[in-house]
Amino acid sequence: MLGRLTEALKAPVRRHWPRLRLRTILLVTFVFVAALPGVGALFLRVYENTLVRQTEAELIAQGTALSAITSAEWPGSHGPELIPRISNGIAGGPLSTIDLGTRPQPERPEPAKLPGTAAPDAQAAAAKLAPLFDTTADSTLASILLLAPDGRILIGKDQGKSLAGLPELAKALRGRPETVLRRNGDYHPEYAFEWLSRASGLRIHHARPVVVNGKVVAVLLLSRSPRALFRGLYEDRGKILFGIGAIFATLVALSGLLSRGIARPIEMLSQATRDVARGGGAVPEAPRTAAIEIQALYSDFATMADAIDRRSRYLRDFAHAVSHEFKTPLAGIRGAIEILEDHHAGMDEADRRRFLANAGADADRLAQLVTRLLELARADMAEAEADAATDVALPLRRIADAWADRGLAITIDLPETLSRAAMPGAMLEAIVESLVENSRQAGAGSVRMAAAATEGEILLTIADDGPGIPEADRARIFEPFFTSRRAAGGTGLGLPIARSLLASHGGTITLATSAQGTGFDIRLPVA
């Protein structure tokens, strides 16, 4: 069920997926990866959280300074007193307590009326510190209030009224500074994309106790809107634009580098493929700037193209040879039929039998050619048997025994110990039998079979004492249909079949140099 659903979702994507060049894919991938930090900073509130915490740190610093001054100037004070600082462990900075991921509190309520007056010492301290608070508020653009323990405002707007009941005030009276995020009811958007900023409609409130002689006598309440995201981006626009430009230039350079290492070599190889398919051109050398894997691909493709070219030439020459070999007996059969048709009435019985015998001999040659061609095809398509292992001595002794009563002397020279050959015994016996038969047909009186172990392979030598192969024919004996015994029915396919069978199992056969007769060296891999 899940597989069908996944396939149903993939189907429209496949239908509408655009065809893209590799360069485009590389550039888009790089741009996407490079944009991830910016997208994360915007939508995960990373940069905006930094601005909010920076505003909080400024309020904490102002509150600490004003708290120390207020404590020192309070009537009856023995000197400034500060509450122990809570550090975040990073360069001794204050611990941040707010995050845009938390739910903000409602807007701060309006101050309520409070009957009576503040204590005399509080009034005296407020009168003395009011000019300092006003100057500080004007320069920092923060709202600064000094509250009595009952919430009465001693310095600031709505002086004389009370903000009792605020959670941050209650915590500060217990000697703990507190920072909270509250909604800003006076906020109005100023920028087109300001809705992306979550901090735009918020205000930071920081409450800090004033300690005199070990007792909390007042609370400082500072508040300010955090630095706007888009204003911060605008103020840092030079750095941001420079960073974007540098990143984009780097991406273009990397795309060009990868294009030279991957895209362009692949395009060149694609063009070479089309040229080879049309029958012209050759695979060029891999560019030096191409990746190692691409260079290996060039090398493999060149090897494949060379193999295809050799196979094509082989098939072309083979088809020509087959056509020539079939043409001769077919012409003889057709000639005999035409003569019999034209002169049958006046031809005596002996002539008729002679022409029919000639046609039969040509038909037999055609049948033999077809059989040998099928054997060659099977040999070319033969696959190695992975677990094949043959004792070389066994097929050689069977062949020697079979020829013992047929007028051909066979001697076997084998070492006491010999590794097994990685080849089926029946296949090796058929190959050697074919060579022995060729020796007999060439007029040899004896054949010597010898084997020796070499590094990783077995060298099997088959040599006879016959007349040998003429020097002019030695280079062509492995060509299909090449034979010096055509009149005796030879097809010229025995040696090509033997070579193909050996090649299918990693073996080789070559014509050996001999002073007399004909010799072949067969190399077999060790099992």
Side-chain angles (χ1 to χ4, degrees), residues 389-400:
T390 298
D391 184 357
V392 176
L394 295 180
L396 298 185
R397 292 195 179 102
R398 280 198 295 267
I399 294 173

Side-chain angles (χ1 to χ4, degrees), residues 423 431 497-509 522 524:
M423 190 175 197
I431 294 171
I497 291 173
R499 183 175 60 177
S500 295
L501 289 174
L502 286 167
S504 67
H505 286 74
T508 61
I509 180 172
I522 299 175
L524 304 172

Side-chain angles (χ1 to χ4, degrees), residues 336-337 340 349-362:
I337 293 174
L340 289 172
E349 185 64 23
D351 289 336
R352 282 196 298 270
R353 290 183 178 277
R354 179 165 56 85
F355 283 114
L356 288 174
N358 290 339
D362 288 331

